[in-house]
Amino acid sequence: MNNITNNIYYVGVNDHDIDLFEGQYDVPLGMAYNSYVIVDDKIAIMDTVEVRFKDEWLNNIDKVLNNKKPTYLIVQHVEPDHSGNIISLIKKYPDIIVVGNNKTFSFINNFYKLDIKNKLEVKENDVLSLGKTELKFIFAPMVHWPEVMFTLDMTDKVLFSADAFGKFGALDKVDPEGWACEARRYYFGIVGKFGLQVQNVLKKLAGVDIKYICPLHGPVLDKDLSYYLNLYNIWSSYQNETDGVAVFYTSIYGNTKKAAEYLYSLLEKEDYEKVTLVDIAREDIYESVEDAFRYSRVVFATTTYNGGIFPKMNEFINKLIDRNFQNKKVGIIENGTWAPGVIRTLKAKFENSKNIELVEPFVTINSSLTEENKKQLINLVSSLK
Ligand code: FEO
């Protein structure tokens, strides 16, 4: 059996059949839906899993319960990747008490047309005793939905953190890139807009002694927790994690690409922690979103299209703005054969963004790169510093 502490067990499942998580995120390493059982005088199950894994999950629980009955199901988040088996669990254990807050039960009813009778509605900072184990509920609205709450096991110093500190990837696959890469893509894709709300819950956790973080996706975190907490603080406060430049381009006939590559070759010679060059049309768009938030400087190189900008770049930049893109130096390279419109379009797009410094010179390419353009790109490198 897979135990985290003497009395906390992992009962989650791995999903390798999913094509797109939440209908849009590519998950090449699959996805884990985590669930935990806390065994004490009373037994609590922490969240359920996606509906397709009913049998496997109930089986995992059976092995831990050893014919005992659970007292509580604690619902930290009603999104169906975690609530999909509430009905199955209640059918199996009709006396189980479902624990949630004032939003939890209406959301459950919305999804499952299920008016839970056997329920315990908790408020922020309420404490639920299982015996030795004391659980405190810490509300985390909008991390990622309004009903989300964390649960702090004050006895064993375990934080059940709902979606926070989660990552893409099933737990039976080794992620060659470690934790941060897919955790960052997950964070900025799914929670990026709600930095303020993540900051609010991090403040509630300041000074709390935590030995384990048990998220609803990704591995249980049990070592060097300050590393994860620090990254969450950087991401949610929209600080720049990496001193460097990300050059994002789209190119139809290869000319904008040549400009982006030339710029990148110049940037590589500079003293940055890291520089990167990304073809937006060919890279997973949420990889690009996480990179845009990660780097201190970004350059957008794209083509004028239908009087605006190339559709893939437009989609990408809209995703950034939707997620409160801010605190960046931004360079622009536009391409246009008869009426270049990228600079105008991007200025308008970032008009209401916080602390976006558009760095000159803006570089205009008329169809293909000239020696004059190269000089402008050399100047852009200097002004990005
Ligand atoms: Fe893992 Fe917001 O659901």
Side-chain angles (χ1 to χ4, degrees):
M1 242 176 320
N2 201 349
N3 61 312
I4 294 152
T5 66
N6 283 341
N7 68 331
I8 300 178
Y9 297 85
Y10 181 83
V11 291
V13 298
N14 292 309
D15 186 354
H16 290 292
D17 296 329
I18 190 166
D19 61 342
L20 292 174
F21 178 65
E22 291 185 0
Q24 57 172 328
Y25 300 100
D26 196 22
V27 281
L29 296 175
M31 198 66 195
Y33 312 117
N34 297 343
S35 168
Y36 307 89
V37 176
I38 309 172
V39 179
D40 204 322
D41 299 342
K42 291 175 181 168
I43 294 172
I45 297 172
M46 305 299 299
D47 296 287
T48 82
V49 297
E50 221 267 352
V51 67
R52 289 174 288 121
F53 295 89
K54 175 187 147 195
D55 293 338
E56 183 182 343
W57 177 66
L58 288 174
N59 216 9
N60 290 348
I61 292 174
D62 279 350
K63 286 186 205 149
V64 174
L65 292 188
N66 207 5
N67 293 323
K68 290 190 198 127
K69 288 206 167 127
T71 308
Y72 299 112
L73 167 66
I74 295 173
V75 179
Q76 302 185 106
H77 185 13
V78 184
E79 196 162 11
D81 47 337
H82 312 296
S83 66
N85 278 296
I86 291 178
I87 291 178
S88 317
L89 193 72
I90 292 175
K91 271 192 188 143
K92 185 160 180 182
Y93 299 107
D95 295 331
I96 199 162
I97 299 165
V98 180
V99 181
N101 56 53
N102 65 347
K103 293 195 175 66
T104 312
F105 299 104
S106 68
F107 287 13
I108 290 174
N109 201 12
N110 285 349
F111 272 105
Y112 305 107
K113 311 306 169 209
L114 175 70
D115 184 14
I116 293 176
K117 298 283 181 291
N118 225 356
K119 66 183 176 187
L120 173 65
E121 190 177 306
V122 295
K123 294 194 220 50
E124 172 101 63
N125 294 327
D126 276 0
V127 173
L128 179 68
S129 176
L130 303 179
K132 287 192 198 69
T133 309
E134 305 262 287
L135 300 177
K136 180 155 122 177
F137 300 102
I138 298 168
F139 287 13
M142 300 318 296
V143 186
H144 144 231
W145 278 13
E147 86 296 2
V148 169
M149 57 185 193
F150 293 179
T151 307
L152 180 68
D153 172 345
M154 296 187 290
T155 313
D156 283 324
K157 305 186 191 321
V158 180
L159 178 71
F160 295 93
S161 61
D163 278 340
F165 302 99
K167 72 185 277 294
F168 296 123
L171 299 185
D172 55 358
K173 292 272 181 204
V174 175
D175 186 336
E177 294 176 307
W179 182 84
C181 190
E182 285 293 69
R184 192 188 297 103
R185 187 167 70 96
Y186 177 93
Y187 175 84
F188 282 109
I190 292 174
V191 205
K193 184 181 180 63
F194 304 111
L196 179 65
Q197 289 84 348
V198 176
Q199 280 284 300
N200 287 342
V201 77
L202 289 179
K203 281 180 197 138
K204 293 180 192 178
L205 296 171
V208 177
D209 186 13
I210 301 168
K211 290 203 161 56
Y212 302 87
I213 296 177
C214 295
L216 288 176
H217 304 286
V220 170
L221 307 174
D222 61 355
K223 286 182 193 74
D224 195 15
L225 295 190
S226 59
Y227 167 76
Y228 306 101
L229 288 160
N230 181 46
L231 280 180
Y232 253 61
N233 183 41
I234 290 171
W235 298 344
S236 58
S237 56
Y238 302 97
Q239 295 172 58
N240 297 310
E241 184 185 337
T242 299
D243 176 38
V245 191
V247 180
F248 299 106
Y249 72 92
T250 58
S251 194
I252 305 173
Y253 296 109
N255 291 302
T256 315
K257 180 179 181 179
K258 271 189 196 142
E261 284 176 340
Y262 182 71
L263 178 68
Y264 178 70
S265 71
L266 298 172
L267 289 167
E268 273 191 313
K269 294 179 196 136
E270 299 291 318
D271 186 24
Y272 286 117
E273 206 176 311
K274 206 166 168 352
V275 292
T276 188
L277 176 69
V278 183
D279 178 350
I280 291 297
R282 289 176 175 80
E283 175 62 281
D284 173 89
I285 197 145
Y286 289 105
E287 287 282 354
S288 304
V289 168
E290 65 154 305
D291 272 348
F293 279 94
R294 172 180 186 168
Y295 287 81
S296 50
R297 301 154 181 84
V298 299
V299 176
F300 301 111
T302 194
T303 322
T304 310
Y305 198 91
N306 286 344
I309 59 175
F310 194 69
K312 275 282 180 185
M313 185 62 85
N314 194 41
E315 182 194 345
F316 172 53
I317 290 176
N318 288 347
K319 284 187 191 308
L320 301 182
I321 291 169
D322 281 351
R323 289 164 174 75
N324 295 325
F325 194 62
Q326 55 187 272
N327 298 335
K328 302 285 169 191
K329 282 189 169 183
V330 173
I332 302 174
I333 302 171
E334 70 174 353
N335 197 346
T337 300
W338 60 92
V342 174
I343 294 165
R344 170 179 36 85
T345 307
L346 291 193
K347 277 185 177 171
K349 273 186 182 293
F350 289 120
E351 202 173 37
N352 296 318
S353 299
K354 216 162 111 186
N355 199 14
I356 294 289
E357 184 190 340
L358 299 178
V359 173
E360 298 195 32
F362 303 132
V363 181
T364 299
I365 300 164
N366 290 122
S367 308
S368 65
L369 202 60
T370 61
E371 288 308 311
E372 181 56 29
N373 288 148
K374 287 187 177 175
K375 283 186 201 147
Q376 292 165 336
L377 290 168
I378 290 168
N379 288 337
L380 178 57
V381 169
S382 301
S383 40
L384 278 169
K385 277 182 199 159

